PDB file of all heavy atoms in Angstrom:
ATOM      1  N   ALA J 506      66.415 113.718 110.966  1.00 96.00           N
ATOM      2  CA  ALA J 506      66.279 114.043 112.390  1.00 96.00           C
ATOM      3  C   ALA J 506      67.638 114.414 112.984  1.00 96.00           C
ATOM      4  O   ALA J 506      67.747 115.356 113.784  1.00 96.00           O
ATOM      5  CB  ALA J 506      65.680 112.859 113.147  1.00 96.00           C
ATOM      6  N   LEU J 507      68.677 113.683 112.609  1.00 95.00           N
ATOM      7  CA  LEU J 507      70.021 113.997 113.105  1.00 95.00           C
ATOM      8  C   LEU J 507      70.461 115.381 112.649  1.00 95.00           C
ATOM      9  O   LEU J 507      71.059 116.142 113.424  1.00 95.00           O
ATOM     10  CB  LEU J 507      71.010 112.946 112.613  1.00 95.00           C
ATOM     11  CG  LEU J 507      70.922 111.565 113.270  1.00 95.00           C
ATOM     12  CD1 LEU J 507      71.851 110.576 112.564  1.00 95.00           C
ATOM     13  CD2 LEU J 507      71.294 111.659 114.750  1.00 95.00           C
ATOM     14  N   GLU J 508      70.158 115.718 111.405  1.00 94.00           N
ATOM     15  CA  GLU J 508      70.562 117.034 110.901  1.00 94.00           C
ATOM     16  C   GLU J 508      69.752 118.151 111.556  1.00 94.00           C
ATOM     17  O   GLU J 508      70.282 119.249 111.772  1.00 94.00           O
ATOM     18  CB  GLU J 508      70.423 117.065 109.382  1.00 94.00           C
ATOM     19  CG  GLU J 508      71.420 116.162 108.673  1.00 94.00           C
ATOM     20  CD  GLU J 508      71.666 116.563 107.236  1.00 94.00           C
ATOM     21  OE1 GLU J 508      70.884 116.137 106.373  1.00 94.00           O
ATOM     22  OE2 GLU J 508      72.638 117.304 106.977  1.00 94.00           O
ATOM     23  N   ARG J 509      68.484 117.870 111.879  1.00 94.00           N
ATOM     24  CA  ARG J 509      67.694 118.892 112.586  1.00 94.00           C
ATOM     25  C   ARG J 509      68.257 119.142 113.982  1.00 94.00           C
ATOM     26  O   ARG J 509      68.321 120.284 114.450  1.00 94.00           O
ATOM     27  CB  ARG J 509      66.230 118.430 112.698  1.00 94.00           C
ATOM     28  CG  ARG J 509      65.407 118.602 111.449  1.00 94.00           C
ATOM     29  CD  ARG J 509      63.914 118.498 111.746  1.00 94.00           C
ATOM     30  NE  ARG J 509      63.560 117.250 112.429  1.00 94.00           N
ATOM     31  CZ  ARG J 509      63.236 116.119 111.800  1.00 94.00           C
ATOM     32  NH1 ARG J 509      63.253 116.078 110.478  1.00 94.00           N
ATOM     33  NH2 ARG J 509      62.904 115.046 112.491  1.00 94.00           N
ATOM     34  N   GLU J 510      68.657 118.078 114.661  1.00 95.00           N
ATOM     35  CA  GLU J 510      69.124 118.203 116.041  1.00 95.00           C
ATOM     36  C   GLU J 510      70.585 118.625 116.142  1.00 95.00           C
ATOM     37  O   GLU J 510      70.977 119.325 117.086  1.00 95.00           O
ATOM     38  CB  GLU J 510      68.929 116.867 116.771  1.00 95.00           C
ATOM     39  CG  GLU J 510      67.478 116.426 116.898  1.00 95.00           C
ATOM     40  CD  GLU J 510      66.636 117.418 117.690  1.00 95.00           C
ATOM     41  OE1 GLU J 510      67.163 118.014 118.637  1.00 95.00           O
ATOM     42  OE2 GLU J 510      65.444 117.587 117.347  1.00 95.00           O
ATOM     43  N   LEU J 511      71.410 118.190 115.211  1.00 94.00           N
ATOM     44  CA  LEU J 511      72.852 118.417 115.302  1.00 94.00           C
ATOM     45  C   LEU J 511      73.378 119.431 114.303  1.00 94.00           C
ATOM     46  O   LEU J 511      74.534 119.845 114.394  1.00 94.00           O
ATOM     47  CB  LEU J 511      73.596 117.087 115.104  1.00 94.00           C
ATOM     48  CG  LEU J 511      73.234 115.965 116.080  1.00 94.00           C
ATOM     49  CD1 LEU J 511      73.969 114.683 115.709  1.00 94.00           C
ATOM     50  CD2 LEU J 511      73.549 116.370 117.515  1.00 94.00           C
ATOM     51  N   GLY J 512      72.546 119.811 113.358  1.00 92.00           N
ATOM     52  CA  GLY J 512      72.981 120.757 112.351  1.00 92.00           C
ATOM     53  C   GLY J 512      73.419 120.054 111.077  1.00 92.00           C
ATOM     54  O   GLY J 512      73.608 118.828 111.042  1.00 92.00           O
ATOM     55  N   ALA J 513      73.585 120.844 110.021  1.00 90.00           N
ATOM     56  CA  ALA J 513      74.001 120.285 108.732  1.00 90.00           C
ATOM     57  C   ALA J 513      75.410 119.703 108.842  1.00 90.00           C
ATOM     58  O   ALA J 513      76.188 120.066 109.720  1.00 90.00           O
ATOM     59  CB  ALA J 513      73.953 121.369 107.657  1.00 90.00           C
ATOM     60  N   GLY J 514      75.716 118.803 107.930  1.00 94.00           N
ATOM     61  CA  GLY J 514      77.060 118.234 107.890  1.00 94.00           C
ATOM     62  C   GLY J 514      77.174 116.847 108.477  1.00 94.00           C
ATOM     63  O   GLY J 514      78.264 116.287 108.532  1.00 94.00           O
ATOM     64  N   VAL J 515      76.052 116.270 108.924  1.00 96.00           N
ATOM     65  CA  VAL J 515      76.105 114.918 109.488  1.00 96.00           C
ATOM     66  C   VAL J 515      76.563 113.898 108.445  1.00 96.00           C
ATOM     67  O   VAL J 515      77.432 113.071 108.733  1.00 96.00           O
ATOM     68  CB  VAL J 515      74.748 114.515 110.096  1.00 96.00           C
ATOM     69  CG1 VAL J 515      74.740 113.037 110.495  1.00 96.00           C
ATOM     70  CG2 VAL J 515      74.441 115.386 111.309  1.00 96.00           C
ATOM     71  N   PRO J 516      76.005 113.896 107.211  1.00 96.00           N
ATOM     72  CA  PRO J 516      76.476 112.917 106.222  1.00 96.00           C
ATOM     73  C   PRO J 516      77.972 113.042 105.939  1.00 96.00           C
ATOM     74  O   PRO J 516      78.680 112.033 105.834  1.00 96.00           O
ATOM     75  CB  PRO J 516      75.644 113.240 104.970  1.00 96.00           C
ATOM     76  CG  PRO J 516      74.408 113.887 105.506  1.00 96.00           C
ATOM     77  CD  PRO J 516      74.873 114.690 106.684  1.00 96.00           C
ATOM     78  N   GLU J 517      78.458 114.284 105.831  1.00 96.00           N
ATOM     79  CA  GLU J 517      79.888 114.477 105.564  1.00 96.00           C
ATOM     80  C   GLU J 517      80.744 113.946 106.715  1.00 96.00           C
ATOM     81  O   GLU J 517      81.798 113.334 106.498  1.00 96.00           O
ATOM     82  CB  GLU J 517      80.191 115.961 105.333  1.00 96.00           C
ATOM     83  CG  GLU J 517      79.673 116.507 104.009  1.00 96.00           C
ATOM     84  CD  GLU J 517      78.226 116.978 104.083  1.00 96.00           C
ATOM     85  OE1 GLU J 517      77.555 116.738 105.120  1.00 96.00           O
ATOM     86  OE2 GLU J 517      77.765 117.588 103.109  1.00 96.00           O
ATOM     87  N   ALA J 518      80.292 114.179 107.958  1.00 95.00           N
ATOM     88  CA  ALA J 518      81.045 113.695 109.121  1.00 95.00           C
ATOM     89  C   ALA J 518      81.085 112.166 109.144  1.00 95.00           C
ATOM     90  O   ALA J 518      82.129 111.566 109.451  1.00 95.00           O
ATOM     91  CB  ALA J 518      80.412 114.230 110.406  1.00 95.00           C
ATOM     92  N   LEU J 519      79.970 111.528 108.828  1.00 95.00           N
ATOM     93  CA  LEU J 519      79.935 110.067 108.800  1.00 95.00           C
ATOM     94  C   LEU J 519      80.839 109.519 107.693  1.00 95.00           C
ATOM     95  O   LEU J 519      81.523 108.507 107.876  1.00 95.00           O
ATOM     96  CB  LEU J 519      78.502 109.581 108.604  1.00 95.00           C
ATOM     97  CG  LEU J 519      77.572 109.776 109.806  1.00 95.00           C
ATOM     98  CD1 LEU J 519      76.112 109.557 109.398  1.00 95.00           C
ATOM     99  CD2 LEU J 519      77.961 108.836 110.942  1.00 95.00           C
ATOM    100  N   ALA J 520      80.846 110.188 106.545  1.00 95.00           N
ATOM    101  CA  ALA J 520      81.711 109.745 105.445  1.00 95.00           C
ATOM    102  C   ALA J 520      83.181 109.912 105.818  1.00 95.00           C
ATOM    103  O   ALA J 520      84.024 109.064 105.478  1.00 95.00           O
ATOM    104  CB  ALA J 520      81.390 110.530 104.174  1.00 95.00           C
ATOM    105  N   ARG J 521      83.523 111.000 106.534  1.00 95.00           N
ATOM    106  CA  ARG J 521      84.919 111.178 106.978  1.00 95.00           C
ATOM    107  C   ARG J 521      85.309 110.081 107.964  1.00 95.00           C
ATOM    108  O   ARG J 521      86.447 109.592 107.963  1.00 95.00           O
ATOM    109  CB  ARG J 521      85.093 112.556 107.630  1.00 95.00           C
ATOM    110  CG  ARG J 521      85.074 113.712 106.655  1.00 95.00           C
ATOM    111  CD  ARG J 521      85.616 114.990 107.300  1.00 95.00           C
ATOM    112  NE  ARG J 521      84.863 115.380 108.476  1.00 95.00           N
ATOM    113  CZ  ARG J 521      83.779 116.164 108.442  1.00 95.00           C
ATOM    114  NH1 ARG J 521      83.334 116.619 107.290  1.00 95.00           N
ATOM    115  NH2 ARG J 521      83.159 116.496 109.556  1.00 95.00           N
ATOM    116  N   THR J 522      84.363 109.701 108.821  1.00 93.00           N
ATOM    117  CA  THR J 522      84.622 108.613 109.765  1.00 93.00           C
ATOM    118  C   THR J 522      84.949 107.329 109.010  1.00 93.00           C
ATOM    119  O   THR J 522      85.876 106.593 109.374  1.00 93.00           O
ATOM    120  CB  THR J 522      83.391 108.393 110.662  1.00 93.00           C
ATOM    121  OG1 THR J 522      83.164 109.576 111.426  1.00 93.00           O
ATOM    122  CG2 THR J 522      83.600 107.216 111.602  1.00 93.00           C
ATOM    123  N   ALA J 523      84.193 107.051 107.952  1.00 93.00           N
ATOM    124  CA  ALA J 523      84.444 105.860 107.139  1.00 93.00           C
ATOM    125  C   ALA J 523      85.841 105.903 106.532  1.00 93.00           C
ATOM    126  O   ALA J 523      86.566 104.898 106.527  1.00 93.00           O
ATOM    127  CB  ALA J 523      83.388 105.731 106.045  1.00 93.00           C
ATOM    128  N   ASP J 524      86.242 107.074 106.019  1.00 93.00           N
ATOM    129  CA  ASP J 524      87.573 107.200 105.415  1.00 93.00           C
ATOM    130  C   ASP J 524      88.671 106.891 106.429  1.00 93.00           C
ATOM    131  O   ASP J 524      89.628 106.163 106.137  1.00 93.00           O
ATOM    132  CB  ASP J 524      87.769 108.618 104.868  1.00 93.00           C
ATOM    133  CG  ASP J 524      86.896 108.904 103.654  1.00 93.00           C
ATOM    134  OD1 ASP J 524      86.434 107.930 103.020  1.00 93.00           O
ATOM    135  OD2 ASP J 524      86.686 110.090 103.347  1.00 93.00           O
ATOM    136  N   GLN J 525      88.545 107.459 107.626  1.00 93.00           N
ATOM    137  CA  GLN J 525      89.576 107.251 108.644  1.00 93.00           C
ATOM    138  C   GLN J 525      89.624 105.792 109.092  1.00 93.00           C
ATOM    139  O   GLN J 525      90.702 105.205 109.228  1.00 93.00           O
ATOM    140  CB  GLN J 525      89.325 108.161 109.846  1.00 93.00           C
ATOM    141  CG  GLN J 525      90.399 108.010 110.932  1.00 93.00           C
ATOM    142  CD  GLN J 525      90.234 109.047 112.027  1.00 93.00           C
ATOM    143  OE1 GLN J 525      89.684 110.111 111.814  1.00 93.00           O
ATOM    144  NE2 GLN J 525      90.732 108.726 113.215  1.00 93.00           N
ATOM    145  N   LEU J 526      88.466 105.200 109.327  1.00 91.00           N
ATOM    146  CA  LEU J 526      88.431 103.799 109.754  1.00 91.00           C
ATOM    147  C   LEU J 526      88.970 102.880 108.674  1.00 91.00           C
ATOM    148  O   LEU J 526      89.628 101.877 108.969  1.00 91.00           O
ATOM    149  CB  LEU J 526      87.004 103.404 110.121  1.00 91.00           C
ATOM    150  CG  LEU J 526      86.495 103.932 111.465  1.00 91.00           C
ATOM    151  CD1 LEU J 526      85.013 103.655 111.621  1.00 91.00           C
ATOM    152  CD2 LEU J 526      87.268 103.291 112.616  1.00 91.00           C
ATOM    153  N   ARG J 527      88.705 103.205 107.406  1.00 91.00           N
ATOM    154  CA  ARG J 527      89.216 102.380 106.313  1.00 91.00           C
ATOM    155  C   ARG J 527      90.744 102.436 106.262  1.00 91.00           C
ATOM    156  O   ARG J 527      91.406 101.422 106.042  1.00 91.00           O
ATOM    157  CB  ARG J 527      88.608 102.835 104.993  1.00 91.00           C
ATOM    158  CG  ARG J 527      88.862 101.891 103.837  1.00 91.00           C
ATOM    159  CD  ARG J 527      87.928 102.165 102.674  1.00 91.00           C
ATOM    160  NE  ARG J 527      87.936 103.543 102.249  1.00 91.00           N
ATOM    161  CZ  ARG J 527      86.941 104.409 102.453  1.00 91.00           C
ATOM    162  NH1 ARG J 527      85.855 104.015 103.090  1.00 91.00           N
ATOM    163  NH2 ARG J 527      87.033 105.640 102.018  1.00 91.00           N
ATOM    164  N   GLU J 528      91.305 103.621 106.494  1.00 91.00           N
ATOM    165  CA  GLU J 528      92.765 103.747 106.527  1.00 91.00           C
ATOM    166  C   GLU J 528      93.356 102.948 107.688  1.00 91.00           C
ATOM    167  O   GLU J 528      94.360 102.236 107.529  1.00 91.00           O
ATOM    168  CB  GLU J 528      93.156 105.224 106.645  1.00 91.00           C
ATOM    169  CG  GLU J 528      92.836 106.047 105.412  1.00 91.00           C
ATOM    170  CD  GLU J 528      92.983 107.529 105.645  1.00 91.00           C
ATOM    171  OE1 GLU J 528      93.311 107.914 106.799  1.00 91.00           O
ATOM    172  OE2 GLU J 528      92.763 108.312 104.704  1.00 91.00           O
ATOM    173  N   ASP J 529      92.739 103.067 108.873  1.00 89.00           N
ATOM    174  CA  ASP J 529      93.229 102.325 110.040  1.00 89.00           C
ATOM    175  C   ASP J 529      93.099 100.820 109.821  1.00 89.00           C
ATOM    176  O   ASP J 529      94.011 100.047 110.154  1.00 89.00           O
ATOM    177  CB  ASP J 529      92.434 102.734 111.285  1.00 89.00           C
ATOM    178  CG  ASP J 529      92.711 104.162 111.713  1.00 89.00           C
ATOM    179  OD1 ASP J 529      93.660 104.773 111.189  1.00 89.00           O
ATOM    180  OD2 ASP J 529      91.950 104.687 112.553  1.00 89.00           O
ATOM    181  N   SER J 530      91.978 100.402 109.257  1.00 87.00           N
ATOM    182  CA  SER J 530      91.748  98.983 109.023  1.00 87.00           C
ATOM    183  C   SER J 530      92.751  98.427 108.028  1.00 87.00           C
ATOM    184  O   SER J 530      93.269  97.310 108.202  1.00 87.00           O
ATOM    185  CB  SER J 530      90.320  98.773 108.512  1.00 87.00           C
ATOM    186  OG  SER J 530      90.032  97.397 108.368  1.00 87.00           O
ATOM    187  N   ALA J 531      93.057  99.191 106.981  1.00 87.00           N
ATOM    188  CA  ALA J 531      94.032  98.740 105.980  1.00 87.00           C
ATOM    189  C   ALA J 531      95.414  98.579 106.613  1.00 87.00           C
ATOM    190  O   ALA J 531      96.150  97.631 106.295  1.00 87.00           O
ATOM    191  CB  ALA J 531      94.093  99.727 104.821  1.00 87.00           C
ATOM    192  N   ALA J 532      95.778  99.500 107.515  1.00 90.00           N
ATOM    193  CA  ALA J 532      97.080  99.398 108.182  1.00 90.00           C
ATOM    194  C   ALA J 532      97.151  98.151 109.064  1.00 90.00           C
ATOM    195  O   ALA J 532      98.144  97.417 109.060  1.00 90.00           O
ATOM    196  CB  ALA J 532      97.339 100.649 109.014  1.00 90.00           C
ATOM    197  N   LEU J 533      96.083  97.894 109.836  1.00 87.00           N
ATOM    198  CA  LEU J 533      96.065  96.707 110.695  1.00 87.00           C
ATOM    199  C   LEU J 533      96.095  95.428 109.864  1.00 87.00           C
ATOM    200  O   LEU J 533      96.766  94.451 110.233  1.00 87.00           O
ATOM    201  CB  LEU J 533      94.827  96.736 111.583  1.00 87.00           C
ATOM    202  CG  LEU J 533      94.851  97.759 112.719  1.00 87.00           C
ATOM    203  CD1 LEU J 533      93.483  97.874 113.367  1.00 87.00           C
ATOM    204  CD2 LEU J 533      95.901  97.379 113.762  1.00 87.00           C
ATOM    205  N   ASP J 534      95.379  95.408 108.748  1.00 87.00           N
ATOM    206  CA  ASP J 534      95.405  94.236 107.874  1.00 87.00           C
ATOM    207  C   ASP J 534      96.814  93.997 107.335  1.00 87.00           C
ATOM    208  O   ASP J 534      97.268  92.852 107.231  1.00 87.00           O
ATOM    209  CB  ASP J 534      94.432  94.412 106.707  1.00 87.00           C
ATOM    210  CG  ASP J 534      92.987  94.249 107.135  1.00 87.00           C
ATOM    211  OD1 ASP J 534      92.737  93.669 108.219  1.00 87.00           O
ATOM    212  OD2 ASP J 534      92.094  94.707 106.400  1.00 87.00           O
ATOM    213  N   HIS J 535      97.496  95.079 106.981  1.00 89.00           N
ATOM    214  CA  HIS J 535      98.858  94.959 106.472  1.00 89.00           C
ATOM    215  C   HIS J 535      99.791  94.355 107.528  1.00 89.00           C
ATOM    216  O   HIS J 535     100.577  93.446 107.243  1.00 89.00           O
ATOM    217  CB  HIS J 535      99.370  96.340 106.048  1.00 89.00           C
ATOM    218  CG  HIS J 535     100.804  96.369 105.638  1.00 89.00           C
ATOM    219  ND1 HIS J 535     101.248  95.819 104.445  1.00 89.00           N
ATOM    220  CD2 HIS J 535     101.909  96.852 106.270  1.00 89.00           C
ATOM    221  CE1 HIS J 535     102.563  95.980 104.358  1.00 89.00           C
ATOM    222  NE2 HIS J 535     102.982  96.603 105.440  1.00 89.00           N
ATOM    223  N   PHE J 536      99.690  94.864 108.763  1.00 89.00           N
ATOM    224  CA  PHE J 536     100.527  94.323 109.838  1.00 89.00           C
ATOM    225  C   PHE J 536     100.196  92.850 110.101  1.00 89.00           C
ATOM    226  O   PHE J 536     101.097  92.034 110.322  1.00 89.00           O
ATOM    227  CB  PHE J 536     100.337  95.138 111.116  1.00 89.00           C
ATOM    228  CG  PHE J 536     100.878  96.539 111.029  1.00 89.00           C
ATOM    229  CD1 PHE J 536     100.182  97.606 111.585  1.00 89.00           C
ATOM    230  CD2 PHE J 536     102.074  96.806 110.387  1.00 89.00           C
ATOM    231  CE1 PHE J 536     100.667  98.899 111.505  1.00 89.00           C
ATOM    232  CE2 PHE J 536     102.572  98.102 110.301  1.00 89.00           C
ATOM    233  CZ  PHE J 536     101.866  99.143 110.860  1.00 89.00           C
ATOM    234  N   ALA J 537      98.914  92.520 110.074  1.00 90.00           N
ATOM    235  CA  ALA J 537      98.508  91.127 110.323  1.00 90.00           C
ATOM    236  C   ALA J 537      99.060  90.199 109.257  1.00 90.00           C
ATOM    237  O   ALA J 537      99.535  89.095 109.564  1.00 90.00           O
ATOM    238  CB  ALA J 537      96.983  91.036 110.384  1.00 90.00           C
ATOM    239  N   GLU J 538      99.009  90.624 108.004  1.00 90.00           N
ATOM    240  CA  GLU J 538      99.526  89.787 106.925  1.00 90.00           C
ATOM    241  C   GLU J 538     101.029  89.567 107.071  1.00 90.00           C
ATOM    242  O   GLU J 538     101.532  88.464 106.821  1.00 90.00           O
ATOM    243  CB  GLU J 538      99.215  90.439 105.572  1.00 90.00           C
ATOM    244  CG  GLU J 538      97.735  90.376 105.207  1.00 90.00           C
ATOM    245  CD  GLU J 538      97.404  91.221 104.003  1.00 90.00           C
ATOM    246  OE1 GLU J 538      98.335  91.816 103.419  1.00 90.00           O
ATOM    247  OE2 GLU J 538      96.213  91.293 103.641  1.00 90.00           O
ATOM    248  N   GLU J 539     101.747  90.607 107.488  1.00 89.00           N
ATOM    249  CA  GLU J 539     103.194  90.454 107.689  1.00 89.00           C
ATOM    250  C   GLU J 539     103.501  89.499 108.845  1.00 89.00           C
ATOM    251  O   GLU J 539     104.407  88.671 108.759  1.00 89.00           O
ATOM    252  CB  GLU J 539     103.828  91.823 107.954  1.00 89.00           C
ATOM    253  CG  GLU J 539     103.954  92.704 106.724  1.00 89.00           C
ATOM    254  CD  GLU J 539     104.815  93.924 107.014  1.00 89.00           C
ATOM    255  OE1 GLU J 539     104.883  94.344 108.197  1.00 89.00           O
ATOM    256  OE2 GLU J 539     105.415  94.451 106.058  1.00 89.00           O
ATOM    257  N   MET J 540     102.749  89.608 109.927  1.00 90.00           N
ATOM    258  CA  MET J 540     102.998  88.795 111.111  1.00 90.00           C
ATOM    259  C   MET J 540     102.551  87.355 110.937  1.00 90.00           C
ATOM    260  O   MET J 540     103.111  86.443 111.552  1.00 90.00           O
ATOM    261  CB  MET J 540     102.288  89.409 112.319  1.00 90.00           C
ATOM    262  CG  MET J 540     102.794  90.785 112.688  1.00 90.00           C
ATOM    263  SD  MET J 540     101.807  91.505 114.005  1.00 90.00           S
ATOM    264  CE  MET J 540     102.094  90.330 115.297  1.00 90.00           C
ATOM    265  N   ALA J 541     101.540  87.137 110.085  1.00 88.00           N
ATOM    266  CA  ALA J 541     100.992  85.785 109.920  1.00 88.00           C
ATOM    267  C   ALA J 541     102.052  84.799 109.454  1.00 88.00           C
ATOM    268  O   ALA J 541     102.032  83.619 109.835  1.00 88.00           O
ATOM    269  CB  ALA J 541      99.827  85.817 108.938  1.00 88.00           C
ATOM    270  N   GLU J 542     102.993  85.253 108.653  1.00 85.00           N
ATOM    271  CA  GLU J 542     104.042  84.359 108.141  1.00 85.00           C
ATOM    272  C   GLU J 542     104.880  83.782 109.277  1.00 85.00           C
ATOM    273  O   GLU J 542     105.333  82.633 109.202  1.00 85.00           O
ATOM    274  CB  GLU J 542     104.937  85.111 107.154  1.00 85.00           C
ATOM    275  CG  GLU J 542     104.188  85.594 105.904  1.00 85.00           C
ATOM    276  CD  GLU J 542     105.103  86.327 104.941  1.00 85.00           C
ATOM    277  OE1 GLU J 542     106.335  86.336 105.189  1.00 85.00           O
ATOM    278  OE2 GLU J 542     104.598  86.899 103.961  1.00 85.00           O
ATOM    279  N   ASP J 543     105.096  84.565 110.332  1.00 88.00           N
ATOM    280  CA  ASP J 543     105.918  84.095 111.449  1.00 88.00           C
ATOM    281  C   ASP J 543     105.123  83.244 112.438  1.00 88.00           C
ATOM    282  O   ASP J 543     105.697  82.391 113.115  1.00 88.00           O
ATOM    283  CB  ASP J 543     106.536  85.295 112.194  1.00 88.00           C
ATOM    284  CG  ASP J 543     107.486  86.092 111.314  1.00 88.00           C
ATOM    285  OD1 ASP J 543     108.141  85.474 110.451  1.00 88.00           O
ATOM    286  OD2 ASP J 543     107.547  87.315 111.480  1.00 88.00           O
ATOM    287  N   LEU J 544     103.829  83.474 112.528  1.00 92.00           N
ATOM    288  CA  LEU J 544     103.024  82.793 113.545  1.00 92.00           C
ATOM    289  C   LEU J 544     102.364  81.512 113.043  1.00 92.00           C
ATOM    290  O   LEU J 544     101.995  80.657 113.854  1.00 92.00           O
ATOM    291  CB  LEU J 544     101.919  83.735 114.060  1.00 92.00           C
ATOM    292  CG  LEU J 544     102.364  85.048 114.715  1.00 92.00           C
ATOM    293  CD1 LEU J 544     101.146  85.809 115.205  1.00 92.00           C
ATOM    294  CD2 LEU J 544     103.317  84.773 115.873  1.00 92.00           C
ATOM    295  N   ALA J 545     102.209  81.365 111.724  1.00 92.00           N
ATOM    296  CA  ALA J 545     101.414  80.267 111.174  1.00 92.00           C
ATOM    297  C   ALA J 545     102.273  79.065 110.787  1.00 92.00           C
ATOM    298  O   ALA J 545     103.414  79.208 110.357  1.00 92.00           O
ATOM    299  CB  ALA J 545     100.632  80.754 109.962  1.00 92.00           C
ATOM    300  N   GLU J 546     101.695  77.904 110.988  1.00 92.00           N
ATOM    301  CA  GLU J 546     102.261  76.645 110.504  1.00 92.00           C
ATOM    302  C   GLU J 546     101.175  75.884 109.769  1.00 92.00           C
ATOM    303  O   GLU J 546     100.054  75.739 110.275  1.00 92.00           O
ATOM    304  CB  GLU J 546     102.778  75.796 111.667  1.00 92.00           C
ATOM    305  CG  GLU J 546     104.057  76.302 112.309  1.00 92.00           C
ATOM    306  CD  GLU J 546     104.551  75.356 113.393  1.00 92.00           C
ATOM    307  OE1 GLU J 546     103.935  74.268 113.566  1.00 92.00           O
ATOM    308  OE2 GLU J 546     105.540  75.707 114.061  1.00 92.00           O
ATOM    309  N   HIS J 547     101.507  75.381 108.579  1.00 89.00           N
ATOM    310  CA  HIS J 547     100.544  74.627 107.788  1.00 89.00           C
ATOM    311  C   HIS J 547     100.782  73.131 107.975  1.00 89.00           C
ATOM    312  O   HIS J 547     101.908  72.685 108.194  1.00 89.00           O
ATOM    313  CB  HIS J 547     100.670  74.992 106.311  1.00 89.00           C
ATOM    314  CG  HIS J 547     100.279  76.398 106.000  1.00 89.00           C
ATOM    315  ND1 HIS J 547      98.997  76.766 105.660  1.00 89.00           N
ATOM    316  CD2 HIS J 547     101.018  77.544 105.994  1.00 89.00           C
ATOM    317  CE1 HIS J 547      98.948  78.075 105.451  1.00 89.00           C
ATOM    318  NE2 HIS J 547     100.163  78.573 105.640  1.00 89.00           N
TER     319      HIS J 547
END
Side-chain angles (χ1 to χ4, degrees):
L507 287 173
E508 292 202 275
R509 281 196 305 271
E510 297 299 325
L511 302 176
V515 172
E517 288 86 351
L519 289 167
R521 287 195 301 272
T522 297
D524 291 340
Q525 181 173 335
L526 285 171
R527 191 164 53 252
E528 292 169 358
D529 292 349
S530 184
L533 287 170
D534 286 342
H535 174 72
F536 292 140
E538 288 170 3
E539 285 191 334
M540 297 174 62
E542 297 180 7
D543 297 327
L544 300 182
E546 287 184 5
H547 294 270

